[in-house]
C-alpha cells in the first residue's frame, strides 16, 4: 500500500500494532529497510562452518527507513505459575510470553523509527492507556505520518484466552485507542487510516462474540 500511495503524496507511513503479541514479523520487515549483515554458524560431523549474508529489502528507495515508523504495544516477559496463567484448554502456563521478543517488562526501545512498548505479561486498561498517551501518540506526532496502518489485534481482550488470562482490556479500550489513532490521522494524514484485522479468537456468540464487539 505504501508503494501504491507514493504517487498520491503518501511518503511517510506509520504502522501501529496493538495485538497482544509483539509484531516481530512486521518489525523484521521494517528493519530490512536498512542493510544488515547476518552471520550463520553451524557444526557438522565434518567440522564447523559459518556463512555471512546481507539482508536488505527496500520498498522504494534507500531512504525508506526514514519514512517508515513501526510501533508495537504488547505483552512481554516471563509468565509464572503464581500468576494463574492458563492455556485455552485450561492447563497451567509458564515461560516467556509468546513470541518472547519486543524487549523486557516496562522497557521502551526506539531505534530507526521502531518503537517497542512492552507492558509485561500482565496488564489492563490503566497501563495500556497510559502507555498509548505518554509514549505511542507523542512518537506518532514526532513522525508526522501521511498514512497510518493499524495491525488491529483483539486478543488482549479479557474474554480471549490467547493471552493466558493475564491481560484484561475491554471493548471500550479498543474503541478508545482507535479514536486516538484516528485523531492523529486527522492531524497529520488527512484522515488516512487503514485498520487490518489481526488477532482475536473468541468468536463464541457470532455477532455478539467478544471479537465482534471489539471490531
Amino acid at each position: 500500500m505504501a508503494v501504491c500511495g507514493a504517487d498520491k503524496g503518501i511518503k511517510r507511513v506509520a504502522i501501529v500494532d496493538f495485538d497482544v503479541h509483539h509484531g516481530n514479523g512486521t518489525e523484521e520487515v521494517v528493519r530490512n529497510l536498512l542493510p544488515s549483515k547476518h552471520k550463520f554458524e553451524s557444526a557438522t560431523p565434518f567440522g564447523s562452518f559459518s556463512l555471512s549474508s546481507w539482508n536488505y529489502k527496500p520498498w522504494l528507495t534507500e531512504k525508506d527507513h526514514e519514512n517508515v515508523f513501526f510501533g508495537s504495544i504488547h505483552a512481554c516477559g516471563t509468565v509464572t505459575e503464581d500468576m494463574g496463567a492458563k492455556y485455552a484448554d485450561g492447563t497451567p502456563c509458564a515461560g516467556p510470553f509468546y513470541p518472547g521478543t519486543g524487549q523486557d517488562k516496562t522497557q521502551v526501545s526506539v531505534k530507526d523509527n521502531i518503537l517497542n512498548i512492552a507492558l509485561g505479561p500482565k496488564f489492563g486498561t490503566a497501563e495500556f492507556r497510559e502507555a498509548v498517551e505518554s509514549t505511542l501518540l507523542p512518537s506518532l506526532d514526532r513522525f508526522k505520518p501521511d498514512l497510518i496502518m493499524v495491525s488491529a489485534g483483539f486478543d488482549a481482550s479479557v474474554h480471549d484466552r490467547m493471552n493466558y488470562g493475564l491481560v484484561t482490556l475491554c471493548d471500550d479500550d479498543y474503541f478508545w485507542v482507535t479514536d486516538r489513532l484516528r485523531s492523529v490521522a486527522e492531524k497529520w494524514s488527512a484522515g488516512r487510516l487503514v485498520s487490518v484485522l489481526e488477532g482475536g479468537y473468541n468468536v463464541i456468540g457470532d455477532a455478539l462474540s467478544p471479537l465482534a464487539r471489539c471490531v
Side-chain angles (χ1 to χ4, degrees):
M1 182 168 288
V3 175
C4 294
D7 62 350
K8 297 178 176 62
I10 298 174
K11 181 179 179 182
R12 297 174 67 77
V13 178
I15 305 167
V16 176
D17 186 335
F18 57 67
D19 188 276
V20 77
H21 304 105
H22 174 229
N24 54 331
T26 307
E27 180 176 325
E28 188 67 17
V29 171
V30 174
R31 287 192 181 279
N32 282 340
L33 296 178
L34 276 173
S36 60
K37 193 173 185 179
H38 289 250
K39 185 177 182 180
F40 304 91
E41 297 181 344
S42 183
T44 74
F46 306 102
S48 301
F49 70 93
S50 64
L51 296 172
S52 295
S53 66
W54 285 92
N55 282 353
Y56 182 41
K57 298 179 180 179
W59 298 349
L60 293 172
T61 73
E62 69 279 1
K63 297 289 187 179
D64 283 344
H65 66 281
E66 299 176 2
N67 295 317
V68 179
F69 170 93
F70 173 65
S72 176
I73 180 168
H74 51 268
C76 186
T78 302
V79 176
T80 57
E81 290 187 10
D82 61 335
M83 292 179 179
K86 294 182 179 180
Y87 291 107
D89 63 1
T91 58
C93 170
F97 199 106
Y98 182 86
T101 55
Q103 302 300 314
D104 295 327
K105 183 180 179 182
T106 72
Q107 286 190 340
V108 175
S109 68
V110 183
K111 183 180 181 182
D112 300 323
N113 287 339
I114 292 175
L115 169 68
N116 279 312
I117 306 174
L119 296 179
K122 191 172 185 178
F123 65 87
T125 294
E127 297 89 345
F128 178 76
R129 295 196 183 197
E130 194 280 330
V132 170
E133 289 284 8
S134 66
T135 305
L136 177 60
L137 298 181
S139 297
L140 287 170
D141 279 332
R142 287 191 293 271
F143 181 72
K144 300 180 178 63
D146 299 317
L147 169 69
I148 299 176
M149 302 283 295
V150 182
S151 292
F154 300 98
D155 43 6
S157 167
V158 65
H159 301 295
D160 198 306
R161 297 303 302 183
M162 285 298 289
N163 61 55
Y164 315 126
L166 297 179
V167 186
T168 57
L169 297 192
C170 62
D171 300 353
D172 191 56
D173 291 322
Y174 292 113
F175 302 147
W176 174 84
V177 70
T178 301
D179 186 62
R180 299 298 289 122
L181 292 172
R182 182 194 58 79
S183 296
V184 176
E186 293 290 344
K187 183 177 181 180
W188 300 113
S189 314
R192 290 184 290 250
L193 182 147
V194 179
S195 185
V196 180
L197 179 62
E198 198 172 275
Y201 304 94
N202 188 342
V203 295
I204 297 174
D206 296 328
L208 298 178
S209 69
L211 174 60
R213 294 200 311 270
C214 290
V215 173

